[in-house]
Amino acid sequence: MSIDSSRKHEDDNNKVVERRSEYRGQTIVKAKALKHVAGQVTADTLGVNPDNVKVSIHDDESQLGFSLETPLSESDVIRCSVREDTTVFSLCESARQTITKRTEHITGHHIGDINMIIAGVEKEPKDEGRVR
């Protein structure tokens, strides 16, 4: 029997069915790992330090929900102040979509609500030039 890397194939009736893996067992992603992934994805999406992102998990009608407490980057706040079509709310909505998609892709869990609490503005490090 040859091993096919594809888990899905068509049967004799052209229906797509999932092929059983030869490797059996469970994979469990613990809450701490889920929180860490969501925090890292949030920090990357918003361009802030991951240490400044706080994540809590809640049940959202049998889906995984997150509450995120995070600062915004200074550049995002400036962008909101100079562009009429960008607000903090539109920025957060866009970030929420990205965070949901990336977290679902990484963890394999369906994500429900993501509640965001903006807890300040994170200043970007200034380029001090060369140190002598």
Side-chain angles (χ1 to χ4, degrees):
M1 178 177 173
S2 65
I3 298 175
D4 185 1
S5 62
S6 171
R7 293 201 46 158
K8 293 187 178 184
H9 71 282
E10 290 186 13
D11 68 3
D12 295 334
N13 298 324
N14 294 326
K15 291 183 181 176
V16 176
V17 294
E18 191 161 347
R19 185 171 293 178
R20 282 193 159 203
S21 173
E22 293 183 33
Y23 306 104
R24 296 182 185 250
Q26 287 184 340
T27 302
I28 298 171
V29 181
K30 295 212 170 197
K32 183 176 181 179
L34 293 170
K35 289 169 66 173
H36 185 75
V37 168
Q40 291 292 327
V41 168
T42 300
D44 185 56
T45 301
L46 294 174
V48 297
N49 184 336
D51 294 335
N52 294 334
V53 178
K54 295 178 184 157
V55 180
S56 61
I57 296 176
H58 61 270
D59 179 28
D60 180 36
E61 298 177 4
S62 298
Q63 290 186 327
L64 183 62
F66 290 108
S67 292
L68 308 171
E69 185 173 329
T70 180
L72 291 178
S73 68
E74 185 177 31
S75 61
D76 281 339
V77 173
I78 291 170
R79 187 168 42 139
C80 289
S81 70
V82 296
R83 294 187 58 183
E84 290 184 19
D85 63 335
T86 304
T87 66
V88 169
F89 296 104
S90 66
L91 183 76
C92 289
E93 182 58 32
S94 175
R96 186 180 287 112
Q97 290 173 6
T98 301
I99 293 163
T100 299
K101 286 178 186 173
R102 288 183 61 203
T103 303
E104 283 181 340
H105 175 75
I106 293 168
T107 66
H109 285 274
H110 292 286
I111 308 298
D113 287 344
I114 294 184
N115 302 315
M116 296 180 75
I117 300 167
I118 304 305
V121 177
E122 184 175 280
K123 289 192 169 225
E124 295 172 0
K126 294 185 179 184
D127 185 17
E128 305 258 342
R130 265 176 62 179
V131 177
R132 297 179 194 211

